[in-house]
């Protein structure tokens, strides 16, 4: 990630709704592209079907009941990034891919991307701030991602609004996260194998754009606010990237995310 005074080029991608495997494949393709081209891409996208995503190192085998998930007509995918389970349905997902050359530390990169998100939420009329709890980030587990905010995550009125994770590999980083429009994360404990996740009845509800705005903004409105933030803070010449430009690379990554050996690797 670089300052506006550098020659780093930013691109902006509003992708069509895709399946979980296609969305994760596109993010992976963009990460590889960042290492090759030196461009940073800020993407906004949504999902064609409700999809449960596991973090890269999250335990899932024997802890989640695949039949319960299927009967609820929910797809499953494992993210290339870490973190805990998220249900992608009534939400908007963002991603940032950037070359690692001259990139700051993980913490600094999170702060840089958070600055964009905070500005974008301000353009939507949403008051958001950084969480500063004393707890460290939770270890990978069956617990839902939006259960508790950790230091540096984005919260509104004390509740978590955005769940993010980052992965660095082969010269580039990928950070993506879920922005809740409405709250359906409370269904996650019902997918647990055996009885529901212990203590799930006491999980505090997350923040949502609907509750904060009194309405549910669509994907295009969220994208417009975030892209304006990128142009204001990072690159006022940021141009759009057509999804078709990376379609071939995306397709090559899809089999990995359809592989149940990957999805249920833990």
């Amino acid at each position: 990630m670089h300052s506006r005074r550098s020659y780093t080029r930013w691109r902006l991608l509003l992708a069509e709704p895709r399946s979980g495997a296609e969305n994760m494949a596109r993010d992976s393709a963009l990460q590889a592209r960042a290492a090759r081209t030196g461009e940073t891409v800020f993407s906004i996208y949504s999902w064609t079907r409700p999809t449960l995503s596991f973090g890269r190192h999250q335990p899932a085998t024997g802890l989640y009941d695949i039949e319960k998930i299927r009967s609820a007509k929910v797809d499953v995918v494992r993210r290339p990034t870490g973190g805990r389970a998220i249900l992608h349905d009534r939400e908007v997902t963002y991603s940032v891919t950037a070359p690692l050359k001259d990139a700051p530390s993980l913490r600094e990169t999170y702060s840089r991307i958070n600055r964009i998100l905070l500005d974008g939420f301000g353009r939507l009329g949403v008051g958001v701030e950084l969480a500063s709890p004393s707890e460290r980030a939770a270890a990978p587990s069956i617990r839902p991602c939006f259960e508790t905010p950790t230091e540096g995550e984005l919260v509104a009125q004390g509740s978590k609004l955005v769940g993010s994770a980052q992965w660095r590999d082969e010269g580039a980083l990928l950070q993506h996260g879920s922005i809740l429009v409405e709250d359906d994360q409370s269904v996650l404990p019902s997918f647990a194998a055996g009885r529901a996740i212990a203590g799930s009845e006491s999980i505090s509800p997350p923040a949502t754009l609907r509750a904060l705005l009194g309405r549910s903004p669509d994907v295009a409105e969220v994208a417009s606010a975030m892209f304006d933030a990128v142009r204001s803070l990072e690159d006022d010449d940021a141009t759009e990237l057509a999804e078709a430009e990376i379609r071939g690379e995306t397709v090559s990554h899809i089999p990995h995310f359809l592989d149940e050996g990957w999805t249920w690797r833990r």
Side-chain angles (χ1 to χ4, degrees):
M1 310 293 288
H2 307 258
S3 72
R4 292 190 69 197
R5 289 184 295 276
S6 75
Y7 294 102
T8 298
R9 185 184 186 195
W10 284 68
R11 305 292 298 278
L12 307 170
L13 170 61
L14 173 57
E16 292 293 322
R18 303 291 182 192
S19 69
E22 288 177 296
N23 281 335
M24 296 301 94
R26 186 182 58 252
D27 276 351
S28 293
L30 285 168
Q31 184 178 13
R33 181 184 183 278
R36 186 178 70 253
T37 67
E39 288 187 340
T40 297
V41 177
F42 191 109
S43 304
I44 292 286
Y45 58 88
S46 57
W47 309 61
T48 53
R49 286 169 49 86
T51 302
L52 173 64
S53 75
F54 302 136
R56 185 183 190 92
H57 301 300
Q58 179 185 3
T61 301
L63 299 177
Y64 283 90
D65 189 322
I66 187 61
E67 293 306 319
K68 290 180 181 178
I69 296 170
R70 286 173 177 163
S71 65
K73 296 181 170 32
V74 172
D75 289 345
V76 183
V77 71
R78 186 176 288 274
R79 303 187 301 271
T81 59
R84 295 183 287 170
I86 298 175
L87 179 61
H88 302 272
D89 187 12
R90 293 181 292 179
E91 53 90 75
V92 173
T93 305
Y94 81 87
S95 79
V96 178
T97 53
L100 281 180
K101 183 180 180 182
D102 301 325
S105 68
L106 188 69
R107 179 183 289 272
E108 290 173 310
T109 305
Y110 265 111
S111 296
R112 189 83 177 255
I113 295 172
N114 275 343
R115 185 166 168 250
I116 296 170
L117 296 173
L118 287 165
D119 187 278
F121 284 125
R123 294 169 188 272
L124 286 170
V126 176
V128 179
E129 60 186 6
L130 295 177
S132 55
S134 58
E135 295 87 353
R136 299 178 63 184
S141 73
I142 196 173
R143 309 294 299 189
C145 171
F146 282 88
E147 178 184 16
T148 307
T150 56
E151 183 180 0
E153 291 189 310
L154 300 185
V155 298
Q157 300 177 358
S159 296
K160 188 171 177 177
L161 176 64
V162 183
S164 301
Q166 187 178 129
W167 172 250
R168 297 179 170 215
D169 188 36
E170 296 185 355
L173 67 86
L174 160 65
Q175 179 172 317
H176 53 196
S178 178
I179 302 167
L180 293 188
V181 177
E182 300 184 42
D183 178 23
D184 48 13
Q185 302 303 304
S186 59
V187 74
L188 287 175
S190 69
F191 298 148
R195 59 192 185 86
I197 301 170
S200 61
E201 66 282 352
S202 63
I203 294 175
S204 299
T208 66
L209 293 181
R210 179 177 179 82
L212 295 166
L213 292 173
R215 62 184 181 84
S216 297
D218 62 20
V219 177
E221 182 180 357
V222 176
S224 178
M226 295 300 170
F227 293 170
D228 284 347
V230 170
R231 291 189 175 106
S232 174
L233 298 174
E234 296 290 346
D235 180 0
D236 52 14
D237 292 322
T239 58
E240 294 183 9
L241 175 71
E243 192 175 6
E245 292 183 48
I246 56 161
R247 185 61 186 167
E249 292 174 83
T250 297
V251 169
S252 70
H253 286 269
I254 290 175
H256 173 69
F257 293 102
L258 289 174
D259 181 3
E260 294 206 347
W262 164 256
T263 303
W264 298 98
R265 66 194 288 257
R266 293 175 178 267

